[in-house]
Amino acid sequence: MGEEESVMDKDEETWNQKKQTLIDEVAEKLIGGDLDAKIQAARDIRKLVRKSPVKTRSKFAAAGVIQPLVSMLLSPNVDARESSLLALLNLAVRNERNKVMIVTFGAIPPLVELLNFQNSSLRELAAAAILTLSAAAPNKPTIASSGAAPLLVHLLSSGTVQGRVDAVTALHNLCTGSEDPTFILNARAVPPLINLLRECKKYSKFAEKTTALLEILSKTEDGRLAISNLEGGILTLVETVEDGSLVSTEHAVGALLTLCQSCRNKYRELILKEGAIPGLLRLTAEGTTEAQERARTLLDLLRDSPPEKPLTSSVLERIVYDFAKRVDGADKAAETAKRLLQDMVHRSVELSLSQIQLRAGSCTPSDIPSM
């Protein structure tokens, strides 16, 4: 058995040496070759790292390939730009150090230039690269101040499905790492974001990022006006409160709450008109702790009488009664309100039981603490 292990170790060592030799040869062509050699070397790097372990990406970086690849992004030759961009993308995946090195060597300005490019394929590859690079925290300030955000916003309405997904995710990455995310986004992002949210599954990860961006935009006056003036803008947020995941409902109700808090007289009727009450009532029982609090606060603001704080159970009962009265009239309001409250309690119990079952099902014997 010992001899077999020794042979295997030697075979692995030989393979690693061959691979390192190959890496050095490709790097040499990239650094010192003519344009055709550089393009081929960039393509070879992409192929070699696509299905290789993470350490292969680090070995290529150590061989000095990142700086010449970044320089190729400025080439007037389209093939050179595309091959270097694909190589850099693959070197950055699952390698934080490479991501930082790529930005340090000056990749962001040429990538921003490519976002303006007529070639749609290169434009979307540049968006994918910015998405990947923006996942590293040290890169976020550089990308945020580069002018990439408005171009990513433009891609929200002009790109392919994948291009739009990448643009939303890149913008979300940049906003997550910013002290003032409203500096990154502007109100022009509202229409494409609302359209994307309307079309996607409300419980998807994509919807979670989209609603997070819309909540950020709701914190500015221009953003609030864009949401309320757009046909279906408030309705789409209301539908997300009803059908979204825990994360997207929290962001959606946060955006609606911000609207109402900014000017209750203006936004109260607009939100009520879109039928927000049932979803908000359900959210008081089913949402995250933050979403439940936001829903209660918004329900209080939507009441006919002036809001009162905090929202007690008796106040909640009056909100439900007021809503039932609007829907079914005074004669049936008490019966409807009772049914709504019972449904809220029933849903809350069901949710609690399902969460307990989920936790229990995910436990192994070693997870269960000893008494």
Side-chain angles (χ1 to χ4, degrees):
M1 187 68 179
E3 289 181 5
E4 289 179 5
E5 289 179 354
S6 177
V7 170
M8 289 173 63
D9 289 342
K10 287 180 180 179
D11 287 345
E12 185 177 354
E13 184 179 347
T14 301
W15 165 245
N16 287 335
Q17 288 174 349
K18 287 181 178 178
K19 200 165 189 179
Q20 184 62 55
T21 300
L22 182 58
I23 289 170
D24 292 338
E25 288 174 353
V26 172
E28 187 178 341
K29 288 179 185 177
L30 183 70
I31 295 167
D34 59 19
L35 183 59
D36 288 340
K38 290 176 184 289
I39 292 172
Q40 187 56 52
R43 289 171 177 166
D44 290 340
I45 290 170
R46 182 197 179 198
K47 289 177 184 176
L48 288 167
V49 301
R50 280 178 73 181
K51 296 181 180 179
S52 297
V54 174
K55 61 183 180 182
T56 303
R57 296 172 174 82
S58 298
K59 287 179 179 179
F60 267 111
V65 303
I66 289 179
Q67 189 165 18
L69 285 171
V70 170
S71 298
M72 285 174 68
L73 291 176
L74 296 165
S75 172
N77 184 295
V78 174
D79 287 339
R81 283 185 162 186
E82 183 175 8
S83 60
S84 62
L85 183 46
L86 287 168
L88 287 168
L89 253 173
N90 282 274
L91 286 169
V93 171
R94 293 186 295 144
N95 194 305
E96 295 300 296
R97 174 178 279 188
N98 283 1
K99 289 183 178 111
V100 174
M101 285 179 65
I102 290 167
V103 171
T104 302
F105 280 124
I108 299 305
L111 287 175
V112 171
E113 184 181 323
L114 286 173
L115 283 176
N116 263 320
F117 218 55
Q118 293 300 315
N119 185 313
S120 59
S121 174
L122 276 177
R123 192 167 62 240
E124 297 206 354
L125 280 175
I130 288 174
L131 158 62
T132 302
L133 297 172
S134 66
N139 292 341
K140 294 184 181 186
T142 302
I143 300 172
S145 61
S146 70
L151 298 172
L152 290 170
V153 168
H154 180 68
L155 196 60
L156 293 178
S157 54
S158 64
T160 63
V161 172
Q162 187 58 55
R164 294 175 187 185
V165 170
D166 288 348
V168 166
T169 309
L171 288 167
H172 184 265
N173 283 349
L174 294 175
C175 290
T176 303
S178 173
E179 292 182 4
D180 182 15
T182 58
F183 169 76
I184 296 168
L185 288 174
N186 61 55
R188 286 194 296 273
V190 168
L193 286 173
I194 289 290
N195 288 334
L196 290 169
L197 182 59
R198 184 186 294 127
E199 294 168 4
C200 75
K201 295 176 181 177
K202 303 295 188 293
Y203 52 82
S204 65
K205 293 290 183 184
F206 181 74
E208 293 175 0
K209 294 180 175 66
T210 305
T211 49
L213 295 176
L214 286 167
E215 185 182 1
I216 290 168
L217 286 160
S218 73
K219 299 181 188 300
T220 68
E221 180 61 24
D222 287 345
R224 290 190 289 270
L225 287 173
I227 291 170
S228 58
N229 289 340
L230 183 70
E231 184 178 356
I234 291 176
L235 175 61
T236 301
L237 291 171
V238 169
E239 290 173 343
T240 307
V241 169
E242 294 174 347
D243 302 326
S245 68
L246 289 175
V247 174
S248 56
T249 53
E250 183 176 313
H251 290 309
V253 74
L256 292 171
L257 176 59
T258 303
L259 261 65
C260 205
Q261 286 176 326
S262 70
C263 184
R264 180 175 181 264
N265 291 337
K266 177 178 180 179
Y267 291 108
R268 176 179 170 274
E269 282 300 325
L270 292 175
I271 295 171
L272 282 171
K273 188 178 75 172
E274 301 298 358
I277 296 292
L280 292 172
L281 289 172
R282 188 163 61 248
L283 197 56
T284 62
E286 295 182 358
T288 64
T289 302
E290 181 65 24
Q292 288 182 21
E293 182 58 35
R294 290 176 176 184
R296 292 189 184 100
T297 305
L298 181 54
L299 281 167
D300 202 16
L301 287 169
L302 295 176
R303 295 172 57 223
D304 289 331
S305 55
E308 52 186 80
K309 300 289 187 294
L311 185 63
T312 62
S313 58
S314 61
V315 175
L316 183 59
E317 288 173 9
R318 286 203 298 276
I319 293 172
V320 177
Y321 179 82
D322 289 343
F323 170 68
K325 188 175 178 181
R326 291 167 68 100
V327 174
D328 288 342
D331 293 344
K332 297 183 179 180
E335 181 183 345
T336 302
K338 181 180 179 181
R339 189 172 66 252
L340 283 169
L341 287 167
Q342 286 174 340
D343 183 56
M344 286 171 59
V345 172
H346 179 66
R347 286 177 177 272
S348 181
V349 170
E350 280 187 337
L351 182 70
S352 298
L353 286 173
S354 67
Q355 288 175 337
I356 291 170
Q357 289 170 347
L358 186 64
R359 286 197 296 269
S362 64
C363 280
T364 61
S366 60
D367 294 325
I368 302 171
S370 56
M371 299 301 290

